Amino acid sequence: MLKIAIDVMGADNGVAPIVEGVIQALKTRDFHAIIVGDEKQIAPLIPSSVANRVEIVHCADYIKMEESASSANKRSETSIYKAVELVKNGEADAVVSPGHSGATMSLATLKIGRIKGVSRPAICTTMPNTTDKPSIILDAGANTDCKPEYLVDFAIMGYEYAKNVVNLENPRVGLLSNGEEDNKGNELTKATFKLLQKFPFFKGNVEGRDIFNGSVDVIVCDGFSGNLVLKASEGVASAISSVLKKEIKSCICSMFGALFLRGVFKRLKKKMDHSEYGGAPLLGVQKVVIISHGSSNARAIECAIYQALHAIESDICVKLTNAFANKPQDEN
Amino acid sequence: MLKIAIDVMGADNGVAPIVEGVIQALKTRDFHAIIVGDEKQIAPLIPSSVANRVEIVHCADYIKMEESASSANKRSETSIYKAVELVKNGEADAVVSPGHSGATMSLATLKIGRIKGVSRPAICTTMPNTTDKPSIILDAGANTDCKPEYLVDFAIMGYEYAKNVVNLENPRVGLLSNGEEDNKGNELTKATFKLLQKFPFFKGNVEGRDIFNGSVDVIVCDGFSGNLVLKASEGVASAISSVLKKEIKSCICSMFGALFLRGVFKRLKKKMDHSEYGGAPLLGVQKVVIISHGSSNARAIECAIYQALHAIESDICVKLTNAFANKPQDEN
């Protein structure tokens, strides 16, 4: 039975919603949960119906959001350190953490190790768009300053993830730029464009709006740009929702109309809701690592666990290892 | 009477909507329009009621969107060349162009000239947010690769524009980054952060979502990042609108409800509509230059003209000249 380690400490709203998500996942899928965190807080939350598939690894210390990630490797008594070590030692098959993402990335890279040939691991995020399949964006924030070779590795990883985990037949990969024309871009993307041209999956430059229209399946960018566009997008969606609510409440007639649209708004919300996508895998390390939002609710954690199970079952780490073993080399 | 030169060639949908926007503006405000473009196409569109305040400068050649901006300075028979020259020679007070933006920027910088002390002119865009005042973002695309000193100049220009043109009392300026903490950022923004700390208007790092919540008034970024976040934001808004329409149409009951919400959707659309904001001024050149979307409709051009008039009346170029004359110098 697959074993998933879940670091339940350090999330924005405490232990309870994270443990609740684990329980929901246990009720739905057959796996073993190793919950890493404060036993006193966790134990009372576990119902007897799933208790035989839960192991608690006690650990009260954790890395706070405002702390620096740089000390993570020295603090062996923290929950994320222990959770990552379980995976490193083969006691767990994957780790899910809504805690300090910098610490998770740093520990995963240092202790579990990079896949041979991967210059930098990247956070791979899925976003809803107007089609049935989500858009895959990487790097969503692991590497603020990138070299062209990093972006090439992100493209290979995104392609393999889209093909093997999201099950797209021929994933199309685009490079995020300030225009679709081949000559658009900044110094980084122009140099990357040249390197990517030898890959058949590469469809050229795409723009910010292409994240949401499904014109490509995978969008490659540096982690700084990825963070900017994802947060701006969340900002727009939340601004529209807040203006809409205010406008509807301003008149009894609109409130009446909105009643008939409850189903529509609910489906829209579900489509746009991050929780349904779980977390974001850190691609490029030798085991499955899922980074969840600090503000994850139970549903987001539940989905992140499904995502981890699916990633393990689709053997993504082996697929990535093979892809990098066969990576086309630069001529120079 | 103020004179505005309008380049009506080279927009996505031809001459007609651009000329229509000029006529609308002429009917509302008292100014003189110098329309630069193909006289045969323009003359029949001008009604006699405004003809005494319209001058047509004939010119059939223009720089096509797919052409490179690099040759703009040599092609003296193009509409944008002539329009910029009118401003340069003092025959017009400002220029508005929905044509090739690269050519407009390059000609404006070369011929009209930079304000002393400005390292690079920047495109300054206004975006709606959840407050009553818009967010001001620069650079929205003029400079793909920036140095920290450029971003400092953008901050000064954005502050002066917010204060003198948008009439905000104490504009707050933020630096677009991948987190709000002082230590967040890429190499460029970290170096910029240090330089901006001496300016009292600087409120620190902001994130993509802050563009839409009004937490600061002016958001500074390099032109590549600015383009990415603005296009991603447009993409989200358009995706939400398209999913909403599809969902509403899927059920008669929702269609009935939507009838009662027509006013709400209309006001939301108007709030989110780019047209109402006109174009984007190119700040840092010695005269008022407004760059409009190639896809501008008549309303967008009309608003861009009001924007040009308001920018001239608020004496923004003199204000910028003074601000740069008094710019705090670096110690080293």
Side-chain angles (χ1 to χ4, degrees):
Chain A
M1 200 188 293
L2 290 177
K3 290 181 176 178
I4 311 290
I6 306 105
D7 166 21
V8 300
M9 306 298 283
D12 297 351
N13 303 311
V15 167
I18 314 303
V19 174
E20 195 192 320
V22 179
I23 295 166
Q24 280 308 320
L26 282 165
K27 285 180 179 165
T28 314
R29 292 281 304 266
D30 206 19
F31 71 100
H32 191 91
I34 310 179
I35 303 181
V36 186
D38 183 5
E39 187 162 17
K40 272 200 303 239
Q41 289 185 68
I42 299 162
L45 301 170
I46 310 295
S48 56
S49 60
V50 299
N52 61 330
R53 285 184 289 132
V54 172
E55 181 188 337
I56 300 171
V57 171
H58 176 68
C59 167
D61 194 16
Y62 65 96
I63 297 174
K64 283 152 205 77
M65 290 294 186
E66 62 276 15
E67 290 183 288
S68 156
S70 58
S71 62
N73 196 35
K74 291 172 208 140
R75 294 172 59 186
S76 58
E77 290 308 306
T78 60
S79 58
I80 183 60
Y81 191 101
K82 293 204 170 180
V84 167
E85 212 167 43
L86 287 169
V87 175
K88 186 198 171 189
N89 299 339
E91 294 167 65
D93 301 289
V95 56
V96 171
S97 174
H100 196 299
S101 61
T104 310
M105 286 186 282
S106 147
L107 280 167
T109 308
L110 283 167
K111 297 184 77 65
I112 301 176
R114 272 181 278 173
I115 287 171
K116 201 181 165 203
V118 172
S119 53
R120 293 286 185 284
I123 296 179
C124 178
T125 288
T126 40
M127 286 291 280
N129 62 39
T130 53
T131 73
D132 295 337
K133 297 281 181 185
S135 295
I136 294 160
I137 300 139
L138 74 173
D139 178 18
N143 310 279
T144 45
D145 290 283
C146 288
K147 294 181 177 170
E149 310 87 72
Y150 302 178
L151 297 198
V152 171
D153 289 353
F154 301 168
I156 298 170
M157 296 196 290
Y159 173 80
E160 293 293 331
Y161 188 82
K163 193 173 170 179
N164 298 295
V165 182
V166 188
N167 296 322
L168 302 182
E169 212 163 311
N170 285 304
R172 299 154 301 164
V173 178
L175 178 64
L176 189 63
S177 187
N178 61 333
E180 287 180 345
E181 300 84 356
D182 290 1
N183 61 348
K184 288 280 179 156
N186 60 10
E187 284 171 16
L188 171 66
T189 67
K190 281 178 181 172
T192 307
F193 188 96
K194 282 184 195 153
L195 297 177
L196 282 175
Q197 276 180 309
K198 70 170 82 121
F199 294 86
F201 58 63
F202 182 55
K203 302 303 169 202
N205 286 331
V206 296
E207 297 180 287
R209 61 188 165 81
D210 292 296
I211 301 172
F212 306 99
N213 63 20
S215 68
V216 290
D217 306 297
V218 177
I219 290 164
V220 170
C221 57
D222 66 86
F224 184 80
S225 299
N227 181 289
L228 295 186
V229 294
L230 294 173
K231 286 196 181 146
S233 307
E234 285 175 27
V236 175
S238 136
I240 291 178
S241 150
S242 115
V243 171
L244 202 55
K245 273 183 197 154
K246 206 171 133 190
E247 284 287 348
I248 287 173
K249 280 189 188 150
S250 71
C251 145
I252 185 86
C253 165
S254 317
M255 283 168 77
F256 176 71
L259 279 179
F260 289 90
L261 286 178
R262 267 185 309 180
V264 168
F265 288 136
K266 222 172 161 179
R267 286 192 297 276
L268 180 70
K269 202 182 162 199
K270 187 167 168 140
K271 196 171 165 74
M272 297 289 164
D273 188 2
H274 265 268
S275 313
E276 299 295 321
Y277 291 88
L282 181 70
L283 296 182
V285 289
Q286 295 187 28
K287 297 282 178 179
V288 172
V289 175
I290 307 285
I291 292 172
S292 290
H293 256 286
S295 62
S296 290
N297 58 18
R299 175 69 181 159
I301 295 298
E302 179 190 351
C303 292
I305 291 172
Y306 300 150
Q307 199 177 18
L309 291 169
H310 185 49
I312 301 165
E313 285 157 357
S314 53
D315 233 1
I316 181 66
C317 295
V318 171
K319 300 276 165 58
L320 286 173
T321 305
N322 294 339
F324 277 87
N326 300 315
K327 178 182 163 185
Q329 294 302 309
D330 287 333
E331 287 81 40
N332 46 349
Chain B
M1 198 187 296
L2 290 177
K3 290 181 176 178
I4 312 290
I6 305 106
D7 167 19
V8 301
M9 307 298 282
D12 298 350
N13 303 311
V15 167
I18 313 304
V19 173
E20 194 191 322
V22 179
I23 296 166
Q24 280 309 321
L26 282 164
K27 285 180 179 165
T28 315
R29 293 280 305 266
D30 206 19
F31 71 100
H32 190 91
I34 310 179
I35 303 182
V36 186
D38 183 5
E39 187 162 20
K40 271 199 304 235
Q41 290 184 67
I42 300 162
L45 300 171
I46 310 295
S48 56
S49 60
V50 299
N52 62 328
R53 285 183 290 132
V54 172
E55 180 187 338
I56 300 172
V57 171
H58 175 69
C59 169
D61 193 17
Y62 64 95
I63 297 175
K64 283 151 203 80
M65 288 296 184
E66 62 276 15
E67 291 183 287
S68 156
S70 57
S71 62
N73 197 35
K74 292 171 208 143
R75 294 172 58 185
S76 59
E77 290 309 307
T78 61
S79 58
I80 183 61
Y81 191 103
K82 292 203 169 177
V84 168
E85 210 166 45
L86 288 169
V87 176
K88 184 196 173 190
N89 298 340
E91 294 166 64
D93 301 290
V95 56
V96 172
S97 175
H100 196 298
S101 60
T104 310
M105 285 185 285
S106 146
L107 280 167
T109 308
L110 282 166
K111 297 183 77 67
I112 301 173
R114 272 179 279 176
I115 287 170
K116 200 181 166 203
V118 172
S119 53
R120 293 287 185 284
I123 297 180
C124 178
T125 288
T126 39
M127 286 292 280
N129 61 40
T130 50
T131 73
D132 294 337
K133 297 279 182 188
S135 295
I136 294 160
I137 299 140
L138 74 172
D139 176 19
N143 310 279
T144 46
D145 291 282
C146 286
K147 294 182 178 170
E149 310 87 72
Y150 301 178
L151 297 198
V152 171
D153 289 353
F154 302 167
I156 297 170
M157 295 195 289
Y159 172 80
E160 292 293 331
Y161 188 81
K163 192 172 170 179
N164 296 296
V165 183
V166 187
N167 296 323
L168 302 182
E169 212 162 310
N170 285 305
R172 299 154 301 165
V173 178
L175 178 64
L176 189 61
S177 187
N178 60 333
E180 288 180 343
E181 301 83 356
D182 289 3
N183 61 348
K184 287 280 179 160
N186 60 11
E187 284 170 15
L188 172 65
T189 66
K190 281 178 181 172
T192 307
F193 189 97
K194 282 184 195 152
L195 297 176
L196 282 174
Q197 278 181 307
K198 70 171 81 121
F199 293 88
F201 58 63
F202 181 55
K203 301 303 169 203
N205 286 330
V206 295
E207 297 182 288
R209 62 189 163 81
D210 292 297
I211 301 171
F212 305 98
N213 63 20
S215 67
V216 292
D217 306 297
V218 177
I219 289 164
V220 169
C221 58
D222 66 86
F224 183 80
S225 300
N227 182 290
L228 295 187
V229 295
L230 293 173
K231 286 196 181 144
S233 307
E234 284 174 30
V236 175
S238 138
I240 291 177
S241 150
S242 115
V243 171
L244 202 55
K245 273 181 197 153
K246 206 172 132 191
E247 285 285 348
I248 286 172
K249 278 187 189 151
S250 70
C251 145
I252 186 87
C253 165
S254 315
M255 284 167 75
F256 176 73
L259 280 179
F260 289 91
L261 286 178
R262 268 185 308 180
V264 168
F265 289 136
K266 221 170 159 178
R267 286 194 295 278
L268 180 68
K269 201 181 160 196
K270 188 169 166 140
K271 196 172 167 71
M272 297 291 164
D273 189 3
H274 266 267
S275 313
E276 300 294 322
Y277 291 89
L282 180 71
L283 296 182
V285 290
Q286 294 187 29
K287 296 280 176 180
V288 172
V289 176
I290 307 285
I291 292 173
S292 290
H293 256 285
S295 62
S296 290
N297 58 17
R299 174 69 180 159
I301 295 297
E302 179 190 352
C303 293
I305 291 172
Y306 300 150
Q307 199 178 19
L309 292 169
H310 185 49
I312 301 165
E313 285 157 357
S314 51
D315 233 0
I316 182 67
C317 295
V318 171
K319 300 274 165 60
L320 286 174
T321 305
N322 294 340
F324 278 87
N326 300 316
K327 177 182 163 184
Q329 294 302 308
D330 288 331
E331 286 82 37
N332 45 351

